[in-house]
Amino acid sequence: MGEDAEGTSSIIDGVHHHQFDIVIVGAGGAGMRAAIEAGPHARTAVISKLYPTRSHTGAAQGGMAAALANVEEDNWEWHTYDTVKGGDYLVDQDAAEILAKEAIDAVIDLENMGLPFNRTPEGKIDQRRFGGHTREHGKAPVRRACYAADRTGHMILQTLFQNCVRLGINFFNEFYVLDMVMTEVTDSFGVTTEQPSGVVAYELATGDLHVFQAKAIIFATGGFGKIFKTTSNAHTLTGDGVGIIWRKGLPLEDMEFFQFHPTGLAGLGILLSEAARGEGAILRNATGERFMERYTPTLKDLAPRDIVARSMATEIREGRGAGPDKDYLYLDITHLEPAVIDEKLPDITEFARTYLGVEPYTEPVPVLPTAHYAMGGIPTTNNAEVLRSNTEVVPGLYAAGECACVSVHGSNRLGTNSLLDINVFGKRAGKNAVEYVKTAEFVPLPDDPAAGVRKILDMVRSGDGTERIAVIRKELQDSMDRNAQIFRTDDSLKEVTELIERLRARYKNIALQDKGKRFNTDLLEAVELGFLLDLAEVLVYSARARKESRGGHMREDYPERDDKNFLVHTMAYLTGDPESADAGEHIRLDWKPVVITNYPPMERKY
C-alpha cells in the first residue's frame, strides 16, 4: 500500500482504518501537485482509483500557458484578458489574475522538477500558438504555450510522480473512494454544522473497505466526460469526486458549461490536440475550403474552442461535411514539413494512422467535436477551499483541477489553461491544507463510518434484476450526445430529463455478472453509473434554467448572451431524494455573482 510510519493504521470489525493529516483523493496532475506541496510538511496520503501515471492528465497533449515571453513579447495581463474573454465573461477575474500571474512560476517549478520542455535554439523553453491566446488584448495571436512535443500532459504527470516518489508520498493505488464521512460539530457559539472527518475507499484488489480519517481532504478527481458517448475522456472519468460532494448536499457550480473540443477523431472522440492548429494545421470542409475564415477572420482556426466547435457543427448542418454521410470535417497538416510533424506532433499523427488508417503526411484527417472538459464542478475560493454556499467555506475541505470550479474558466476554457490550472490551484490546495492542519484537530468519526458504503455495495451485489449496466449507460450517453451537446433547446433538454427519470427506475433493477470481491470492475461500473446519472441530471437541469447562450452552452431557443439576467454563476443544490420522479423536487438552483475587476463584459469578436 505504500504507507510508512508517519500514518497510523488498524483494522476494526474487518474495516481498515488509517489516519493522516491530509488525504488527497485523486493522483492526476492536481492531486500530485498538491501532494508535493503538502508532503514535506504534513502526514499526507494520496488515494487513487488508478496507478498515478495512468491518470487522465497524461492524455493532455498541447501545452501549458504562461506569459514567459521567450519567443514573442507577452505579459500576464494579456493572458488574463484572453482567459476572461475566452470564458465569455463568466470568469471570476480575480481568479484569472492569479492563474496568469502564477503561471510563470508554475512552469519554472516544473522545469526545476525535471520536465523536458521543448527548447528554442538559445536553450529557453519554447512556446507556440494556441486558440484564443493573443497579444495586446486581442490584436493578434501570440506564442504562449510551453510544451513537450504533443505529450505535455504525459510529461507533467511523469515528472510530478517522480517527485512524489522522491518525497516519499504515501500512495494507495487502485483504491476507489466512494464516500466522504461528515460529522456534526458544534462550535463555541453553539452553532452545529457538518464537517468532513474522512473518506471511505474500496480496495479493488481485495474488496476490503478502508476508512481514512484526516484533518484536511483535497478532492482532485478530474472530470465526468463519460456522461457523453463521444468524448476524449477516459473510461474512468465518471465524476466520482463531484458526485460524492453532490450527494453530501454541497453545491455544484456552472454544471451546464461543458466544452466540446473541435478536433476529436471522427467516430471515436480520441483527441487530436489544438497543438496541430498551433503549428499551422487547417480545418477544411468537404470542398477543401478553410471555412474558419468566414467565422473568425482574425484568429481563424485558433479561435476559442466553443466558437470553433459551433462553426464546425454549423458546417455539417448546412451540408458541407465530408464522408459518405457528410458528418465530419478535415484537419489538414499535409502542407507542413514531415520533419516538423515528427518533431512536434508525433502522437497526433500516430493516432490518425492507428485508429483511422489515415496518413497525415498526405491525407487530411477526419475530425468532429468531442466532449472534452467540464468548466463546472465543486465550487471553491481562490485558495481552493470548498464552498458550502456563495460565501461560506467547509473547514478542511479543498478541491483542485477539473473537478473544481474556481471559476477560472467561466463558460469556456482556453486551451493550455487546464494544465496550468492543475499546477497553480493544485499547489494552492496543498499549501492551504498544510496551513489548516497546523492548528486543526481531527474531527471524530461516527461509530460506523463505512456503513453507507457497505449498504450501497451490498445492495448492488445482491441485485437479481434484469437490467444491464452497459445498456443503461449507453442509453444515457446516446441521449446526451443527441440532446445536450453543442446545440441545445428546452425540448431537447427535457427529453434527456425524462429519460434520466426512467433510467433511474431501471437502475434499481440491475444485476451484476460478477458477484466476487477481488478486482470486481462490474461492481465499480455499477457505482459509477449512479454518479453519471446524478451529474447528467444536474447538467441538464442547470442548462434548462440558463435561458441564454454563452461559451460552451448554446441554446438555440435563446441564441443571444444575456448579461442582464445571466451574468451569474449557477449554484445547484441537492435538496431531496434523487429517486423522486421530478428533478425539480430534489434540485434547487441559486445564483452567485461573477467577480469583475478590469474587464467589463463586451461583445466577443475574433
Side-chain angles (χ1 to χ4, degrees):
M1 289 187 298
E3 186 173 6
D4 63 20
E6 292 183 343
T8 63
S9 178
S10 61
I11 300 177
I12 304 172
D13 295 330
V15 176
H16 303 260
H17 284 249
H18 313 268
Q19 190 181 74
F20 288 90
D21 294 323
I22 299 172
V23 166
I24 300 168
V25 185
M32 288 200 287
R33 186 63 188 87
I36 289 170
E37 203 65 24
H41 309 289
R43 297 179 304 161
T44 302
V46 180
I47 309 172
S48 176
K49 68 191 284 191
L50 299 166
Y51 191 74
T53 52
R54 291 186 61 227
S55 298
H56 201 58
T57 299
Q61 298 166 350
M64 174 174 165
L68 301 182
N70 284 354
V71 180
E72 296 176 348
E73 182 185 0
D74 200 3
N75 67 60
W76 68 265
E77 291 181 336
W78 299 348
H79 186 186
T80 302
Y81 169 79
D82 291 335
T83 299
V84 172
K85 183 180 178 183
D88 216 352
Y89 296 95
L90 203 75
V91 173
D92 285 334
Q93 296 181 22
D94 54 346
E97 290 169 10
I98 289 169
L99 186 80
K101 280 182 180 178
E102 297 183 8
I104 297 166
D105 285 343
V107 169
I108 293 171
D109 283 348
L110 289 170
E111 182 182 36
N112 291 337
M113 290 181 198
L115 196 148
F117 286 109
N118 276 46
R119 300 283 170 175
T120 67
E122 299 78 29
K124 296 180 178 180
I125 295 172
D126 200 4
Q127 296 181 273
R128 61 182 167 205
R129 291 177 179 172
F130 240 78
H133 291 276
T134 68
R135 61 177 175 84
E136 299 178 69
H137 300 96
K139 288 188 177 179
V142 70
R143 300 181 188 277
R144 184 177 291 148
C146 309
Y147 65 98
D150 58 354
R151 302 176 179 130
T152 313
H154 175 80
M155 296 299 188
I156 288 174
L157 198 64
Q158 298 287 337
T159 300
L160 293 176
F161 182 60
Q162 290 163 7
N163 280 270
C164 284
V165 171
R166 177 177 63 84
L167 293 171
I169 302 297
N170 299 282
F171 280 94
F172 293 82
N173 299 325
E174 296 187 325
F175 279 61
Y176 189 172
V177 172
L178 297 177
D179 192 19
M180 179 174 67
V181 183
M182 301 285 279
T183 303
E184 286 193 350
V185 176
T186 303
D187 63 19
S188 57
F189 299 100
V191 178
T192 300
T193 57
E194 283 196 325
Q195 292 188 22
S197 51
V199 297
V200 183
Y202 173 91
E203 185 178 1
L204 189 59
T206 64
D208 290 352
L209 294 182
H210 294 251
V211 174
F212 293 82
Q213 187 179 21
K215 295 179 181 178
I217 301 167
I218 301 173
F219 276 86
T221 53
F224 45 92
K226 293 306 288 184
I227 61 175
F228 294 96
K229 176 186 175 183
T230 306
T231 178
S232 65
N233 286 197
H235 289 289
T236 54
L237 287 181
T238 50
D240 319 326
V242 183
I244 288 168
I245 293 293
W246 173 246
R247 291 178 182 181
K248 290 300 172 184
L250 297 173
L252 298 180
E253 180 176 354
D254 289 343
M255 289 291 285
E256 64 269 37
F257 295 110
F258 209 96
Q259 182 173 88
F260 300 91
H261 194 293
T263 52
L265 288 178
L268 297 172
I270 296 170
L271 193 66
L272 296 187
S273 170
E274 201 166 311
R277 284 173 283 142
E279 297 296 342
I282 295 170
L283 287 165
R284 299 188 187 279
N285 59 25
T287 66
E289 178 197 7
R290 186 181 188 178
F291 59 87
M292 284 307 300
E293 291 180 330
R294 286 190 275 108
Y295 296 96
T296 53
T298 302
L299 295 186
K300 302 182 178 69
D301 305 273
L302 286 174
R305 289 173 178 173
D306 61 320
I307 294 174
V308 180
R310 280 197 299 275
S311 302
M312 293 174 69
T314 300
E315 288 294 297
I316 293 169
R317 278 185 161 192
E318 295 181 356
R320 294 185 287 276
D325 298 322
K326 297 186 177 182
D327 58 353
Y328 59 77
L329 298 161
Y330 290 120
L331 183 70
D332 182 10
I333 61 172
T334 59
H335 55 288
L336 301 180
E337 288 293 328
V340 173
I341 295 172
D342 291 342
E343 177 190 354
K344 296 185 175 181
L345 305 170
D347 277 5
I348 291 172
T349 51
E350 195 58 36
F351 291 161
R353 295 182 186 114
T354 301
Y355 296 109
L356 291 183
V358 170
E359 176 47 68
Y361 289 167
T362 57
E363 302 173 83
V365 181
V367 292
L368 192 67
T370 181
H372 182 56
Y373 189 91
M375 273 76 73
I378 304 166
T380 72
T381 68
N382 292 339
N383 289 323
E385 303 158 298
V386 172
L387 290 167
R388 194 190 302 273
S389 64
N390 286 5
T391 56
E392 182 187 358
V393 302
V394 182
L397 187 58
Y398 303 84
E402 188 175 352
C403 74
C405 183
V406 181
S407 158
V408 78
H409 305 306
S411 60
N412 172 62
R413 176 182 66 77
L414 287 189
T416 71
N417 270 359
S418 62
L419 290 179
L420 177 58
D421 176 10
I422 63 176
N423 280 281
V424 168
F425 290 99
K427 179 178 180 179
R428 281 180 161 244
K431 181 178 179 181
N432 287 298
V434 167
E435 289 303 310
Y436 177 81
V437 303
K438 284 180 180 178
T439 57
E441 301 292 333
F442 285 100
V443 176
L445 291 167
D447 290 339
D448 187 1
V453 170
R454 191 184 298 108
K455 180 180 178 182
I456 291 171
L457 295 181
D458 289 346
M459 181 180 65
V460 172
R461 276 200 193 98
S462 62
D464 58 357
T466 58
E467 293 287 350
R468 299 289 296 274
I469 298 161
V471 172
I472 295 175
R473 184 176 60 224
K474 184 178 186 302
E475 289 188 31
L476 171 69
Q477 293 170 338
D478 287 347
S479 182
M480 289 294 289
D481 265 23
R482 187 170 58 251
N483 297 305
Q485 207 195 47
I486 293 174
F487 294 110
R488 303 164 173 177
T489 66
D490 188 68
D491 287 342
S492 72
L493 295 170
K494 182 181 178 183
E495 183 177 325
V496 189
T497 303
E498 292 172 348
L499 173 68
I500 291 171
E501 291 173 9
R502 297 193 297 273
L503 294 181
R504 280 196 187 282
R506 291 169 56 189
Y507 180 58
K508 297 177 184 177
N509 192 36
I510 60 172
L512 300 186
Q513 292 177 295
D514 184 353
K515 303 290 187 178
K517 283 191 171 184
R518 296 179 180 273
F519 292 102
N520 191 339
T521 55
D522 201 21
L523 174 68
L524 296 188
E525 286 187 2
V527 176
E528 289 171 341
L529 177 57
F531 289 130
L532 291 176
L533 288 168
D534 284 352
L535 299 180
E537 183 178 52
V538 185
L539 185 154
V540 171
Y541 192 80
S542 300
R544 290 187 73 182
R546 185 173 286 274
K547 294 177 170 60
E548 66 156 356
S549 293
R550 185 188 299 268
H553 170 70
M554 177 66 191
R555 284 284 299 263
E556 290 190 281
D557 42 356
Y558 296 95
E560 302 300 321
R561 193 180 82 192
D562 182 359
D563 290 337
K564 181 180 178 181
N565 295 303
F566 291 103
L567 186 62
V568 285
H569 299 295
T570 311
M571 297 287 279
Y573 294 81
L574 179 63
T575 57
D577 182 4
E579 301 300 330
S580 62
D582 184 359
E585 295 178 5
H586 59 261
I587 298 177
R588 174 177 67 86
L589 292 185
D590 199 356
W591 309 95
K592 187 174 77 164
V594 175
V595 178
I596 297 174
T597 56
N598 297 318
Y599 304 107
M602 299 173 63
E603 187 178 356
R604 195 163 168 246
K605 289 183 177 180
Y606 287 97

